[in-house]
């Protein structure tokens, strides 16, 4: 028998698994030497490339600011 708490628990586990899978995928991507933003194309510092960076500092900062702005709980 499934009650509401079981469904909530399952949802939380699904979200955690998805987030971990997305994180693992990002970690496997090789870093870029130039910004992935086609409108930018700036060089990425070798230390950031080694860490798997896809965007230059400016674009990464802008993307994180936008992501934080639009982040809402419970939305996929
Ligand atoms: Zn950029």
């Amino acid at each position: 028998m499934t009650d509401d708490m079981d469904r909530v628990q399952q949802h939380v586990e699904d979200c955690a698994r998805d987030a971990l899978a997305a994180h693992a995928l990002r970690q496997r991507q090789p870093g870029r030497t130039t910004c992935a933003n086609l409108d930018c194309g700036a060089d990425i510092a070798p230390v950031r490339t080694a860490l798997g960076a896809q965007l230059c500092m400016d674009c990464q900062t802008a993307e994180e600011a936008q992501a934080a702005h639009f982040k809402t709980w419970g939305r996929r």
Side-chain angles (χ1 to χ4, degrees):
M1 190 170 118
T2 316
D3 64 13
D4 287 346
M5 283 310 295
D6 288 335
R7 283 195 293 276
V8 168
Q9 181 66 31
Q10 186 62 50
H11 179 72
V12 168
E13 288 174 8
D14 289 347
C15 288
R17 191 185 55 238
D18 289 352
L20 284 170
H23 180 72
L25 197 64
R26 279 196 300 274
Q27 294 295 71
R28 278 197 293 272
Q29 281 185 316
R32 295 175 55 93
T33 54
T34 56
C35 185
N37 182 350
L38 297 178
D39 292 333
C40 175
D43 288 339
I44 293 176
V47 65
R48 296 192 69 242
T49 298
L51 292 171
Q54 301 294 308
L55 298 168
C56 71
M57 281 293 283
D58 288 346
C59 291
Q60 183 71 47
T61 301
E63 186 178 272
E64 286 173 4
Q66 192 176 35
H69 182 74
F70 287 110
K71 186 175 180 183
T72 54
W73 288 104
R75 212 179 255 183
R76 290 181 156 229

